[in-house]
Amino acid sequence: MRLEMRTCFGAALFLGIVCAIYWFWSNEDTGTACLLFSFCAYALMGSYFFLQWRRRKGVPRPEDRDDADMNDGEGEIGFFPAASIWPFGIGLGGIFLAIGLIYGMWFLVIGGVFVVGSVIGFVVEAEAREEGPADPGMPITTTGDNPPVTSFQVPSSHSQGA
């Protein structure tokens, strides 16, 4: 996070200086506002990276260390649903929202319903994944007299109240 943090804070510093010079030189409001919002955006990203670095208590990631090799960065990165219909719903809702700006309020309502429903579905799909092998339906255990259990039959941690 250190490299990202320094890059964002450097860009924020540059944009802040340019914003001040631009405002004093041109006294124009629109360009000054754009530069000011750009400064704020980079400062916000830099602050986020700083807080992530502080949360890790200054322990560098493998990407930040000069002596790291490829094996230091291995492991699970995260869960990303491979085949999902929800991004299509978000895009369709965005189209309806854009059409609603032109043709009327009722398109905005339809687009809002599509976007909100699809975002909720996408979040629920990512959170409700089954714990088990990477290939759903493959046997997890085959012990003794019990038939093989598949990952479809294993309850997730969310359904157990944990």
Side-chain angles (χ1 to χ4, degrees):
M1 297 287 169
R2 195 175 61 183
L3 177 66
E4 295 93 340
M5 178 179 60
R6 291 191 334 202
T7 303
C8 288
F9 280 144
L13 178 68
F14 172 76
L15 287 167
I17 292 169
V18 169
C19 178
I21 292 171
Y22 185 81
W23 184 71
F24 284 121
W25 192 317
S26 70
N27 220 5
E28 194 257 329
D29 294 333
T30 306
T32 304
C34 290
L35 287 169
L36 181 65
F37 285 129
S38 300
F39 162 77
C40 292
Y42 273 108
L44 182 69
M45 285 192 307
S47 300
Y48 171 76
F49 289 134
F50 175 72
L51 291 174
Q52 292 298 314
W53 178 72
R54 289 279 300 180
R55 186 178 61 93
R56 294 175 55 91
K57 296 178 179 48
V59 176
R61 298 177 305 166
E63 294 88 4
D64 294 334
R65 294 191 350 237
D66 293 331
D67 62 339
D69 59 356
M70 292 294 287
N71 294 332
D72 291 337
E74 69 184 10
E76 183 179 340
I77 295 174
F79 172 72
F80 305 101
S84 178
I85 192 70
W86 300 115
F88 175 74
I90 294 171
L92 188 64
I95 290 171
F96 274 103
L97 287 173
I99 290 173
L101 294 174
I102 299 169
Y103 291 113
M105 184 62 88
W106 65 280
F107 274 115
L108 288 174
V109 173
I110 293 171
V113 168
F114 266 106
V115 169
V116 170
S118 297
V119 166
I120 290 172
F122 198 47
V123 169
V124 169
E125 178 185 52
E127 290 293 321
R129 69 183 175 118
E130 297 290 331
E131 303 296 331
D135 188 11
M138 295 298 294
I140 295 176
T141 59
T142 55
T143 58
D145 297 331
N146 298 334
V149 177
T150 63
S151 61
F152 291 123
Q153 298 165 333
V154 176
S156 68
S157 60
H158 296 289
S159 63
Q160 295 174 356

